[in-house]
Amino acid sequence: MRIYVIRHGQSEANLKMAHAGWAQVPLTEKGIAQAQAVRPRLEELHFDKVIVSDLRRARQTAENALPGYDYTYDWRIRETGVGQLEGKLVSECEEELGESYINNRRNRDFTAYGGENLETMQARIAAFMDDLTQEPEDTQIAVVCHEGAIFCMVCHVLQCQPTRLAGLADNCSVSVFTYKAGAWTLNKWNETGNLIPEAK
């Protein structure tokens, strides 16, 4: 089984340097253009299933990068929940909440604000990945989601425990995982150039 994971395009929150979390934030014009730019690379591939985060920025990315498919929406591949910080600028949070916020943001721990930490997020991503292993071995799947979710997927595949968001994924980058003989493999990470179709 081969999984192509696409991060959403630039969102309004990305542009403003604000916390999006689980808010229904739209893409910017640039984000839509990014999604359309990745489309030719993905058109070279056939996907048996396209799974998309139910948040607006991921749905818009799928509609522009992978049109014509029936999408399956899954809340488990949402971005990290940030609770009361949704919509707030990072700079404002730093000024209002100080060092504790800076440390919490660095460690991706938003529990103090009614959100999630990496441990909670990793658990829901692990459940999602475990469900994927039930698909037939020759299945090819596209997944459209978020930077934090992609990082947790990598940690799941590499069997490491995330302590902070240590690996960044660019907007509309593609990462590729395979699952074969009971084991996950990371094939590509944060691919932003030409995506050459590979044998299953």
Side-chain angles (χ1 to χ4, degrees), residues 71-143:
Y71 309 128
T72 298
Y73 298 104
D74 197 319
W75 73 271
R76 294 176 298 177
I77 52 175
R78 289 180 176 185
E79 185 55 277
T80 314
V82 297
Q84 300 162 358
L85 300 184
E86 282 186 5
K88 292 189 175 182
L89 298 179
V90 170
S91 59
E92 291 176 344
C93 293
E94 289 176 344
E95 184 176 342
E96 294 173 10
L97 302 172
E99 194 68 27
S100 62
Y101 161 79
I102 293 171
N103 290 332
N104 286 336
R105 180 170 177 255
R106 181 184 301 119
N107 296 323
R108 206 77 168 189
D109 183 354
F110 298 102
T111 53
Y113 320 108
E116 295 181 294
N117 57 23
L118 275 176
E119 182 179 1
T120 303
M121 187 173 184
Q122 186 68 37
R124 61 178 166 87
I125 294 298
F128 171 78
M129 298 292 278
D130 287 345
D131 282 352
L132 291 184
T133 65
Q134 305 306 307
E135 297 286 346
E137 189 172 287
D138 61 350
T139 302
Q140 192 152 271
I141 300 173
V143 177

Side-chain angles (χ1 to χ4, degrees), residues 140-169:
Q140 192 152 271
I141 300 173
V143 177
V144 184
C145 57
H146 310 266
E147 183 176 45
I150 297 169
F151 175 64
C152 286
M153 289 177 187
V154 171
C155 290
H156 182 80
V157 167
L158 300 181
Q159 298 182 11
C160 59
Q161 184 62 36
T163 56
R164 60 187 180 87
L165 190 61
L168 303 180

Side-chain angles (χ1 to χ4, degrees), residues 33-67:
Q34 288 172 329
Q36 292 171 345
V38 78
R39 176 177 172 178
R41 292 187 279 152
L42 299 174
E43 284 179 336
E44 299 178 34
L45 306 166
H46 169 75
F47 296 107
D48 301 295
K49 182 180 289 188
V50 177
I51 305 174
V52 182
S53 159
D54 61 347
L55 298 180
R56 184 177 178 186
R57 54 198 185 274
R59 290 188 285 110
Q60 285 183 299
T61 300
E63 289 161 4
N64 283 278
L66 291 159

